[in-house]
Amino acid sequence: MYIKQIIIQGFKSYKEQTVIEPFSPKHNVIVGRNGSGKSNFFAAIRFVLSDAYTQMGREERQALLHEGTGPAVMSAFVEIIFDNSDDRFPTGKPELVLRRTIGIKKDEYSLDRKNATKSDVMNLLESAGFSRSNPYYIVPQGRVTALTNMKDAERLTLLKEVAGTQVYEARRTESLKIMTDTNNKRAKIDELLDYIKERLAELEEEKEELRAYQDQDKERRCLQYTIDHREQMAIAEELDVLEEQRQNDVDGTDDSRDRFIQGEKDLAEIDSEANELRQQMEFLKVDKKQLEDERRDNARTKAKIELDLQRLTEGQSAAKQARAQYEQELRSVQDSIREREQELGNIAPEFTSMKEQESTVKSELDNAEAIRQRLYAKQGRNARFRNKRERDEWLRKEINESYPQQKQSQAVRMQTEEDISQLEQDIASIESDVVGLREQFEGRGTSNESMQEQVQAAKGERDRLMDERKELWREDAKLDSVTMNASKELRQAEQTMSHTMDQNTSRGLAAVRRIKQQHNLSGVYGTLAELLDVNERYRTAVEVTAGNSLFHYVVDNDDTATKVLEVLQKERAGRVTFMPLNRLKPKMGGNIPKANDSVPMLEKIQFDRTYEKAFQQVFGKTVICPNLAIASQYARSHGVSAITMDGDRSDKKGALTGGFHDPRQSRLEAVRNVTRWRNEYESHRSRSTEIKRTLDVKDQEITRAVGNLQKLEQARQKKENSYGPLRQELQSKVSSLQNKKDTLEAKQRARNNIEANLKALTDQQNAHEAELTSDFKKALTADEETQLENLSSTVQDLRRQYSELSSSRSDLETRKTTFEIELRENLRPRLDQLRAQEFESQNDTQSGNLRDSQRDLNRITKAISAVESRLQEAESSLDTFTAQISDLDQRRTSLLVTQEDTARAIEKQQKRTEKSVQKKSLLTKQAADVSRRIRDLGVLPQEAFERFEKTKSDALVKRLHKVNDSLKKYSHVNKKAFEQYNNFTSQRDTLTKRRAELDSSAVSIEDLIAVLDQRKDEAIERTFKQVSREFATVFEKLVPAGRGRLVIQRKTDHVPGGDADSEDEAARRASVENYTGVGISVSFNSKHDDQQRIQQLSGGQKSLCALTLIFAIQRCDPAPFYLFDEIDANLDAQYRTAVASMLHSLANESEAGSGGELRNGDVRNGGAGSYGGQFICTTFRPEMVQVAEKCYGVRYVGKSSSVVVVGRGEAVEFVQGERV
């Protein structure tokens, strides 16, 4: 086993984590400048492995932490990794990681990354060969110097420590202390035994007189017992009678109290019912007053409507006569219009037919006249021209001149046709407008009726909304009264509840409710009392179990509780205990009894499972039992709190609490009343707010309904006022239509003329063109002559037909025009005038007003009837409520009388009970005195219970007096002689036995001390022998030419003693106590010269001797590794080389030897074995560097140390440079 690696962080000068490269299992050397951190490196190892850093204060801990610039180091650790391939540590692992962490407030060890105690670590190190009695496997700076300057006596003490005598000394000291205690106890026992012997001798003389006294006293006690027993029985019988009477009184009192409590409940119910009835009566009175006001208003409205209706009815008869005359004239005009229209309908087809015939005959006549004129013109032209050429020129000229006329005529015809088409469209449009206006004019009655219906519907909607608003006003007035009453009851209930708790808690609960509403805290649930519901049968048990916890406030978590508490503290608003559900960890009673006579209290409480933890915390370990005896039994056997339904309680420690609990002062009932009235108050207030919002909405609806009614009235008025312009528009449209028709006829006639002229021009052109192609002749041809003659007769016939048709058409046209003018100028305007007469509108308005008045009268009549009905119901309800209240008052008076009688009966029973209690107390005291006298008699003989059983009490008293007189002569007798004699005898035997045990223990302790002294002497002799032998061996290796030895010094020696090796072993053992010191005697030049004492040597020689002693001690008690801090600092060069060579050889021995398998006991019992191990040394000398297996350098940069591997040459150069 050896140190494989070391990790340091935050320890002294090692600020950053320093991971040192694995060490060699042989010889390792560390070099570095002074102040770089070499000594701190060794201090770190000692910090973990030795006892040098124990029981440290704050300043000492702080001194171990790195101090420098930058963030402060709060903790440091040193970790040593051991190679455990040889299983020297019994861990079964190839490596062992040992760490110690230090801080201002902590000091911790860990083994293989697991926490461990310091004792565990030290025991593990002891098992691996680290001897606490021999700490010389670590040699810090100054240790060699201390050994050099050590005195002989101190050196002897050192050898004793190495020998392990501290264990023997501790056990010997402990044994001597026990021996001293044993001797003190034996001395006390001897004193007691001497006293007991004296007292036993005195008591032997007193026993005879005591026997005579005992016989007389025996008879006295028998007599006294009989008398006291009879008195005791008499008192017991009287107590039984009193107890029976008390029980009857208690039962009677309970019954009376139950009746009284029930009477109080009945009174409360009667008062509540009476208050409710009075409140209902107040509502009815308010409702009645409103109904009477409404009835008066309706009556006034009805009277006004009746007056209006009478006035409208009187005006309706005159209107009916005018209406009849109007309707008669209207029918006459309508009949005339229908007759004229029918006649026009009959004339129109005939007129049209004749007009068409006339047009046809006229066209034929014009055509014949044109042909005949052309023939005449041709006949006359032929006489004008001399030849064909002149004729043709003239014809061509005529033809050319006719073209512009023809085009102009065609253009005029097209324009005329367009005008005709436009006129026809205008006429159609105007006719459609006229039809619409006539229909509108004729349908205005229906429109008026529709408008009137809309107005009536709007009025009905307005009245309906106003009625609904009245109902809402009435309900709002009721709710105001109800809310005021609920508020009053809530204040009274809160005041009653506040009396069940202290003022700070009451203020705090009110503040928490207000804070919850203000800050909208959903996690604030309520008090336990508000969150539970329990049957009235178990209410007392629940109240007693919970106590003040009933008013603890349940919240979801501690954050919510903190928020509320901050506000409470800021406002100083009282005190509240919170129960955060996330912090509650109730321990449910795992031993809750499961039986018919015990019920877990939680099963009788109803609550939301969200709050289960809170209820388990308060009620989880409580059961309900039928009586206190069963409750006490379960409390003791199951470790729970048991309670009866009356509130008598027994806890698991056996304490009993109980008494009378007045149900009228129930906290749960107070909380329930507050909750009920608060809910009712909030409900009424919420309903009132809702009604007020509904009233606002209803006001808006009424405003809209009134606005809509006004709009409809305005629309109706506007419609009535629009009939005059409508009639004027109709007349204008009719006049315009007639003008359009006249213009159309003119255009049509013009178009016919234009077409005839155009046809004549065309025929003329065709005739001229045909004449151009004919020969020039001075006269007509025969055909033309014949045609001319025929045309003359045809023209005459056509003129005759045209004259006849024109005359007939003119007659029909005259009749048609007469009818049209009559219709247009007379009949239709009259019809329009009749329909638009003002009186008709007035008549309609009056008729509408009459209908409206009749509707209003019907509506108000129904309203009055409904109000009368409701008034009758209200008066009937008032009478009923008055009768009920009177009945309740009578019941209350009767109940009060009963309550007074019950109270007087309870008072009498209580007085009787108090007297019984006083008498019982007196009898109980007497019974206790009698029992005490009987107990004072002591143990009675068997005959005492039967001997005087039949003797009368008087005789017993007389005989007792005689016995007492005879006992007076024994007044000087020791009454306890027998008892004292027996006690002293028993004590003597016990003390004698104890004295023998102490004598045996003293012998054992003396033997143990002798053995310990012997073993200590043997250990010192053995250790001195081994160390002396190893000292000589090591000194010979270091100084081959010299010789050294250890010299033991004794008290009897006047000169230094002889060689330890030549003395007789038995003589040494006998003279161990005479040892005064250990000296060192050496010779550096010869093995045969006189040796010098260490005080006579130089400084370097003294240091060599001290090192030799260290090596000798280490060889006697080898360790797995060794730490040397500058042990060669004071050595001469030749001795440094020798020491370095020796370390090198010892390190190499660790491979071949078996030193790794040695233990402390092996070396001490079996001499020196193989000596070797791992060496870690610091030095400023090259000799030790040159033989090292591995070299390390300590550097100090940025106020922090670090350890790195360096080459041997670099290390040698460093130490040589340091020396220069």
Side-chain angles (χ1 to χ4, degrees):
M1 183 197 75
Y2 62 91
I3 294 178
K4 185 175 182 180
Q5 196 172 24
I6 297 176
I7 302 173
I8 309 173
Q9 178 176 327
F11 186 84
K12 290 193 173 183
S13 59
Y14 293 86
K15 178 181 181 181
E16 304 298 334
Q17 183 171 336
T18 301
V19 181
I20 303 172
E21 188 171 326
F23 292 98
S24 169
K26 299 179 181 180
H27 190 195
N28 303 270
V29 172
I30 299 175
V31 297
R33 293 184 175 86
N34 285 329
S36 61
K38 299 190 302 300
S39 296
N40 291 340
F41 170 75
F42 277 91
I45 300 176
R46 293 174 63 205
F47 170 70
V48 179
L49 301 179
S50 73
D51 293 335
Y53 297 93
T54 57
Q55 303 298 325
M56 293 181 292
R58 181 182 179 90
E59 292 76 10
E60 295 172 318
R61 292 172 184 264
Q62 184 66 47
L64 296 180
L65 302 178
H66 176 81
E67 293 183 358
T69 59
V73 176
M74 303 306 296
S75 65
F77 73 86
V78 179
E79 181 175 291
I80 302 177
I81 302 174
F82 294 95
D83 182 278
N84 192 35
S85 57
D86 56 355
D87 289 332
R88 196 157 184 171
F89 288 114
T91 61
K93 297 180 181 179
E95 286 186 352
L96 175 71
V97 180
L98 174 59
R99 173 186 283 198
R100 184 178 181 184
T101 304
I102 190 77
I104 300 298
K105 296 182 179 180
K106 68 176 180 178
D107 188 359
E108 301 173 346
Y109 286 88
S110 67
L111 288 171
D112 289 333
R113 315 297 180 188
K114 297 180 181 178
N115 291 336
T117 63
K118 181 179 180 181
S119 61
D120 294 338
V121 173
M122 293 306 167
N123 292 335
L124 183 65
L125 293 175
E126 287 276 356
S127 67
F130 296 89
S131 175
R132 301 179 68 179
S133 62
N134 180 13
Y136 284 91
Y137 65 92
I138 299 177
V139 182
Q141 285 185 17
R143 179 66 62 85
V144 175
T145 303
L147 286 174
T148 301
N149 299 326
M150 189 176 286
K151 297 178 180 180
D152 293 345
E154 295 173 346
R155 206 173 287 118
L156 176 61
T157 303
L158 172 63
L159 286 179
K160 289 182 179 180
E161 292 177 356
V162 173
T165 59
Q166 291 180 349
V167 177
Y168 298 119
E169 290 292 342
R171 295 184 63 185
R172 190 177 189 279
T173 302
E174 184 180 357
S175 299
L176 288 174
K177 183 179 179 181
I178 295 173
M179 186 66 181
T180 302
D181 294 340
T182 302
N183 291 333
N184 293 333
K185 291 178 182 178
R186 285 193 296 180
K188 291 180 180 180
I189 289 174
D190 291 340
E191 292 178 2
L192 289 173
L193 286 174
D194 293 340
Y195 172 74
I196 289 172
K197 288 177 181 179
E198 294 177 359
R199 286 295 298 156
L200 287 175
E202 295 174 357
L203 291 172
E204 283 289 346
E205 298 176 357
E206 297 175 354
K207 285 195 298 182
E208 292 301 328
E209 292 181 352
L210 181 60
R211 285 192 182 92
Y213 169 78
Q214 286 179 342
D215 292 339
Q216 293 292 326
D217 184 66
K218 179 180 179 182
E219 185 177 0
R220 180 191 67 80
R221 289 189 295 131
C222 291
L223 290 169
Q224 188 67 49
Y225 170 75
T226 303
I227 294 172
D228 292 340
H229 180 66
R230 289 179 181 178
E231 183 179 358
Q232 187 181 39
M233 296 301 295
I235 292 173
E237 290 177 359
E238 193 169 354
L239 283 174
D240 290 340
V241 173
L242 286 176
E243 179 63 24
E244 183 178 359
Q245 182 180 353
R246 187 195 67 81
Q247 187 63 40
N248 293 332
D249 290 342
V250 168
D251 294 340
T253 302
D254 290 341
D255 294 340
S256 298
R257 186 178 289 111
D258 292 340
R259 289 196 303 273
F260 185 80
I261 293 172
Q262 184 62 40
E264 290 293 325
K265 291 182 180 179
D266 294 341
L267 280 174
E269 291 178 358
I270 290 173
D271 291 339
S272 176
E273 187 175 354
N275 290 334
E276 186 176 355
L277 288 174
R278 289 189 179 94
Q279 185 177 3
Q280 293 293 333
M281 287 182 67
E282 291 297 327
F283 294 159
L284 288 173
K285 289 178 180 177
V286 172
D287 198 10
K288 180 181 177 182
K289 183 177 182 303
Q290 292 177 349
L291 289 173
E292 289 175 348
D293 294 341
E294 186 175 354
R295 182 177 63 179
R296 284 194 297 272
D297 294 340
N298 290 337
R300 286 195 295 268
T301 304
K302 181 179 180 182
K304 182 180 178 181
I305 291 173
E306 287 176 346
L307 290 175
D308 293 340
L309 186 63
Q310 182 179 2
R311 177 178 55 80
L312 290 172
T313 303
E314 291 175 354
Q316 186 69 15
S317 58
K320 285 183 179 180
Q321 296 178 0
R323 179 72 178 178
Q325 183 178 357
Y326 161 77
E327 290 178 353
Q328 181 179 359
E329 186 175 359
L330 180 63
R331 285 194 298 271
S332 174
V333 172
Q334 289 175 345
D335 293 340
S336 299
I337 290 172
R338 281 194 296 273
E339 291 176 0
R340 298 299 182 269
E341 288 179 347
Q342 183 177 4
E343 290 178 358
L344 278 175
N346 295 331
I347 293 173
E350 184 179 359
F351 174 75
T352 303
S353 174
M354 292 187 67
K355 189 173 181 181
E356 290 177 354
Q357 292 178 6
E358 181 183 8
S359 176
T360 301
V361 171
K362 182 67 169 60
S363 177
E364 291 176 355
L365 177 60
D366 292 340
N367 188 24
E369 284 286 350
I371 294 172
R372 191 175 66 169
Q373 289 296 329
R374 284 197 298 273
L375 289 176
Y376 282 135
K378 182 178 179 181
Q379 185 178 8
R381 281 196 303 274
N382 290 335
R384 289 173 52 192
F385 302 110
R386 289 188 301 272
N387 51 35
K388 183 178 180 182
R389 181 177 61 79
E390 291 181 357
R391 185 197 66 179
D392 291 342
E393 289 178 356
W394 183 83
L395 288 172
R396 288 189 184 92
K397 181 179 178 183
E398 290 294 325
I399 291 171
N400 291 334
E401 289 179 354
S402 65
Y403 282 144
Q405 295 179 1
Q406 186 178 12
K407 291 179 179 180
Q408 184 177 3
S409 298
Q410 291 176 350
V412 172
R413 185 186 63 182
M414 292 178 62
Q415 181 63 39
T416 304
E417 288 178 352
E418 291 178 0
D419 294 341
I420 290 171
S421 177
Q422 183 64 40
L423 286 171
E424 289 176 348
Q425 293 177 3
D426 293 343
I427 290 171
S429 175
I430 293 173
E431 287 178 345
S432 177
D433 293 341
V434 170
V435 171
L437 290 172
R438 289 189 183 279
E439 291 177 352
Q440 185 176 356
F441 201 77
E442 292 174 357
R444 62 176 179 156
T446 304
S447 177
N448 284 339
E449 292 178 359
S450 175
M451 185 65 68
Q452 189 67 24
E453 291 176 357
Q454 293 180 12
V455 170
Q456 291 301 323
K459 287 182 178 179
E461 179 68 13
R462 179 200 61 188
D463 295 339
R464 183 184 66 80
L465 291 174
M466 293 181 73
D467 291 339
E468 291 178 356
R469 184 172 64 178
K470 289 179 181 179
E471 292 296 328
L472 289 173
W473 282 342
R474 189 175 292 112
E475 185 176 359
D476 188 34
K478 291 181 181 179
L479 277 175
D480 287 341
S481 177
V482 172
T483 305
M484 186 179 301
N485 182 65
S487 176
K488 179 181 177 182
E489 293 291 343
L490 176 60
R491 286 194 301 271
Q492 184 176 355
E494 288 178 342
Q495 185 177 4
T496 302
M497 187 180 73
S498 67
H499 292 162
T500 64
M501 67 185 82
D502 60 276
Q503 184 178 3
N504 286 332
T505 302
S506 177
R507 290 173 52 241
L509 293 177
V512 170
R513 285 192 293 270
R514 175 175 51 79
I515 293 168
K516 175 184 178 182
Q517 294 176 356
Q518 289 178 352
H519 298 271
N520 194 21
L521 298 176
S522 59
V524 180
Y525 300 127
T527 62
L528 276 179
E530 294 171 348
L531 300 177
L532 67 82
D533 188 18
V534 64
N535 189 285
E536 186 176 357
R537 183 182 179 189
Y538 304 100
R539 188 170 63 194
T540 302
V542 170
E543 285 188 24
V544 173
T545 301
N548 291 330
S549 298
L550 282 173
F551 301 114
H552 289 181
Y553 230 99
V554 181
V555 295
D556 55 355
N557 54 52
D558 45 2
D559 292 336
T560 303
T562 302
K563 292 179 182 177
V564 180
L565 279 174
E566 288 176 353
V567 179
L568 281 176
Q569 293 174 356
K570 182 178 180 181
E571 298 179 355
R572 297 182 180 178
R575 183 179 65 250
V576 176
T577 301
F578 289 96
M579 300 181 71
L581 294 178
N582 67 324
R583 290 291 186 182
L584 294 180
K585 295 180 181 179
K587 296 181 180 179
M588 289 297 293
N591 198 21
I592 296 294
K594 298 180 179 178
N596 294 330
D597 54 358
S598 70
V599 180
M601 182 170 286
L602 276 178
E603 294 183 3
K604 298 301 179 182
I605 301 175
Q606 289 80 40
F607 55 89
D608 193 329
R609 292 301 166 186
T610 306
Y611 323 120
E612 186 171 7
K613 286 185 178 179
F615 285 94
Q616 287 178 352
Q617 182 79 15
V618 178
F619 305 104
K621 294 184 179 180
T622 303
V623 296
I624 302 175
C625 300
N627 55 60
L628 190 58
I630 297 176
S632 301
Q633 181 180 355
Y634 280 123
R636 290 192 301 269
S637 61
H638 290 74
V640 297
S641 294
I643 192 169
T644 66
M645 287 181 288
D646 294 330
D648 298 329
R649 184 178 182 182
S650 175
D651 60 17
K652 57 185 179 182
K653 295 182 180 179
L656 300 177
T657 57
F660 174 68
H661 298 277
D662 191 351
R664 293 174 296 176
Q665 302 298 326
S666 171
R667 290 181 171 184
L668 286 176
E669 185 64 24
V671 171
R672 186 174 291 108
N673 287 335
V674 169
T675 302
R676 177 169 64 87
W677 284 113
R678 182 180 292 118
N679 293 336
E680 186 171 347
Y681 173 71
E682 294 294 337
S683 174
H684 293 327
R685 191 173 66 174
S686 175
R687 176 59 182 164
S688 178
T689 304
E690 181 182 354
I691 287 176
K692 284 180 172 58
R693 287 199 298 267
T694 306
L695 278 171
D696 294 338
V697 174
K698 197 64 66 178
D699 288 339
Q700 296 174 2
E701 291 178 354
I702 290 173
T703 302
R704 287 195 295 270
V706 171
N708 186 31
L709 178 61
Q710 291 176 352
K711 289 180 181 179
L712 289 173
E713 291 283 358
Q714 292 173 0
R716 185 181 66 175
Q717 189 65 31
K718 183 178 179 181
K719 199 170 188 64
E720 291 176 354
N721 295 334
S722 66
Y723 288 128
L726 182 65
R727 182 166 57 84
Q728 295 177 358
E729 183 180 2
L730 179 60
Q731 293 176 355
S732 175
K733 289 287 185 182
V734 170
S735 177
S736 176
L737 178 63
Q738 188 59 43
N739 293 334
K740 293 287 185 181
K741 288 182 178 180
D742 294 340
T743 305
L744 178 61
E745 291 180 358
K747 290 290 184 180
Q748 289 174 347
R749 287 194 298 270
R751 183 189 60 184
N752 294 334
N753 294 332
I754 291 169
E755 288 178 353
N757 293 332
L758 186 60
K759 185 176 183 302
L761 286 173
T762 303
D763 294 340
Q764 185 68 33
Q765 287 177 357
N766 292 333
H768 288 167
E769 289 176 355
E771 188 176 356
L772 283 174
T773 59
S774 63
D775 296 336
F776 179 75
K777 293 181 179 180
K778 293 288 188 178
L780 297 174
T781 62
D783 294 333
E784 290 176 345
E785 289 291 341
T786 304
Q787 184 181 6
L788 184 60
E789 291 177 0
N790 293 333
L791 284 172
S792 297
S793 60
T794 299
V795 166
Q796 290 178 358
D797 292 337
L798 288 173
R799 285 178 177 172
R800 180 178 52 77
Q801 293 178 6
Y802 177 73
S803 177
E804 293 175 355
L805 289 171
S806 178
S807 176
S808 298
R809 189 264 310 162
S810 178
D811 295 337
L812 287 174
E813 185 175 8
T814 300
R815 291 179 57 195
K816 175 176 174 295
T817 301
T818 302
F819 292 152
E820 288 177 350
I821 290 172
E822 187 177 3
L823 285 172
R824 184 175 65 251
E825 301 294 339
N826 184 16
L827 295 177
R828 290 192 184 279
R830 179 57 181 166
L831 179 62
D832 294 339
Q833 184 180 5
L834 288 174
R835 287 177 175 173
Q837 283 181 356
E838 184 66 22
F839 77 88
E840 183 181 359
S841 178
Q842 293 177 354
N843 188 32
D844 291 340
T845 302
Q846 291 178 355
S847 178
N849 291 336
L850 183 61
R851 289 193 296 271
D852 292 345
S853 298
Q854 290 174 347
R855 292 194 191 97
D856 293 340
L857 182 61
N858 293 332
R859 179 181 60 79
I860 203 68
T861 302
K862 292 180 180 179
I864 291 174
S865 176
V867 169
E868 290 290 345
S869 176
R870 293 179 60 181
L871 272 173
Q872 291 177 0
E873 292 178 0
E875 290 174 353
S876 175
S877 299
L878 281 172
D879 294 339
T880 303
F881 289 161
T882 302
Q884 291 178 355
I885 290 175
S886 177
D887 182 48
L888 288 174
D889 290 338
Q890 293 178 1
R891 287 174 54 194
R892 189 176 188 279
T893 303
S894 175
L895 196 56
L896 283 174
V897 173
T898 304
Q899 287 293 93
E900 291 176 357
D901 295 339
T902 305
R904 284 193 293 270
I906 292 174
E907 186 177 0
K908 290 180 181 179
Q909 289 172 348
Q910 287 178 346
K911 290 181 179 179
R912 188 165 55 249
T913 302
E914 289 175 358
K915 291 181 180 179
S916 298
V917 169
Q918 292 175 358
K919 188 174 182 180
K920 181 180 179 182
S921 176
L922 181 62
L923 290 174
T924 303
K925 185 177 180 181
Q926 293 176 0
D929 293 340
V930 173
S931 298
R932 178 179 52 77
R933 292 200 300 269
I934 292 175
R935 286 196 304 271
D936 292 341
L937 294 175
V939 180
L940 298 171
Q942 183 64 34
E943 62 179 344
F945 303 104
E946 301 174 356
R947 181 178 175 181
F948 303 106
E949 184 177 359
K950 297 181 180 179
T951 306
K952 295 182 179 179
S953 298
D954 296 338
L956 289 175
V957 173
K958 292 179 180 180
R959 188 166 181 175
L960 178 63
H961 285 311
K962 292 180 180 179
V963 173
N964 287 331
D965 291 338
S966 64
L967 283 173
K968 290 180 180 178
K969 62 181 179 180
Y970 297 103
S971 59
H972 65 282
V973 176
N974 182 7
K975 308 301 189 296
K976 298 183 178 180
F978 286 110
E979 183 180 354
Q980 291 175 355
Y981 185 85
N982 293 331
N983 290 337
F984 281 123
T985 302
S986 176
Q987 291 179 12
R988 182 190 63 187
D989 297 339
T990 302
L991 291 174
T992 303
K993 184 179 179 180
R994 179 61 178 159
R995 181 69 166 76
E997 292 176 354
L998 291 174
D999 292 340
S1000 177
S1001 298
V1003 173
S1004 300
I1005 293 170
E1006 290 174 352
D1007 295 340
L1008 176 60
I1009 292 174
V1011 171
L1012 291 175
D1013 291 341
Q1014 180 183 358
R1015 289 181 181 177
K1016 182 183 71 172
D1017 294 345
E1018 289 175 353
I1020 294 173
E1021 289 289 343
R1022 184 172 58 251
T1023 302
F1024 177 74
K1025 180 180 179 181
Q1026 292 175 357
V1027 174
S1028 180
R1029 183 175 61 249
E1030 294 298 336
F1031 182 85
T1033 303
V1034 173
F1035 190 82
E1036 186 177 357
K1037 288 183 179 181
L1038 295 177
V1039 186
R1043 178 171 175 255
R1045 63 174 181 159
L1046 296 179
V1047 180
I1048 195 72
Q1049 295 178 352
R1050 299 176 178 85
K1051 296 178 181 178
T1052 58
D1053 293 343
H1054 300 287
V1055 294
D1059 189 349
D1061 293 336
S1062 64
E1063 294 183 359
D1064 183 71
E1065 183 177 353
R1068 283 198 304 271
R1069 185 180 302 113
S1071 60
V1072 164
E1073 293 297 330
N1074 293 324
Y1075 290 172
T1076 60
V1078 175
I1080 298 176
S1081 179
V1082 295
S1083 174
F1084 283 86
N1085 299 324
S1086 173
K1087 296 183 181 291
H1088 305 288
D1089 292 344
D1090 292 337
Q1091 296 181 344
Q1092 296 175 318
R1093 301 300 296 270
I1094 192 170
Q1095 291 83 0
Q1096 300 170 341
L1097 301 178
S1098 64
Q1101 291 173 339
K1102 288 181 180 179
S1103 297
L1104 182 62
C1105 290
L1107 281 175
T1108 303
L1109 181 58
I1110 290 173
F1111 288 144
I1113 293 172
Q1114 291 175 347
R1115 289 173 71 88
C1116 290
D1117 191 4
F1121 61 86
Y1122 303 93
L1123 305 176
F1124 294 154
D1125 189 3
E1126 299 183 13
I1127 62 173
D1128 57 352
N1130 298 325
L1131 295 177
D1132 298 331
Q1134 57 179 342
Y1135 302 134
R1136 289 198 299 270
T1137 303
V1139 171
S1141 299
M1142 184 177 178
L1143 292 179
H1144 181 67
S1145 62
L1146 290 175
N1148 290 330
E1149 285 181 10
S1150 62
E1151 292 184 347
S1154 59
E1157 299 177 358
L1158 291 175
R1159 296 295 184 263
N1160 300 346
D1162 299 334
V1163 177
R1164 290 173 181 166
N1165 296 328
S1170 177
Y1171 171 51
Q1174 182 188 39
F1175 291 88
I1176 301 175
C1177 309
T1178 64
T1179 183
F1180 278 104
R1181 309 297 182 181
E1183 290 81 5
M1184 194 173 290
V1185 176
Q1186 290 173 351
V1187 299
E1189 181 76 18
K1190 203 167 185 180
C1191 298
Y1192 297 83
V1194 180
R1195 297 174 180 174
Y1196 187 72
V1197 179
K1199 295 187 178 182
S1200 179
S1201 301
S1202 61
V1203 181
V1204 297
V1205 176
V1206 298
R1208 182 179 300 170
E1210 184 179 353
V1212 171
E1213 290 178 1
F1214 173 78
V1215 297
Q1216 289 178 348
E1218 286 293 311
R1219 292 178 61 191
V1220 173

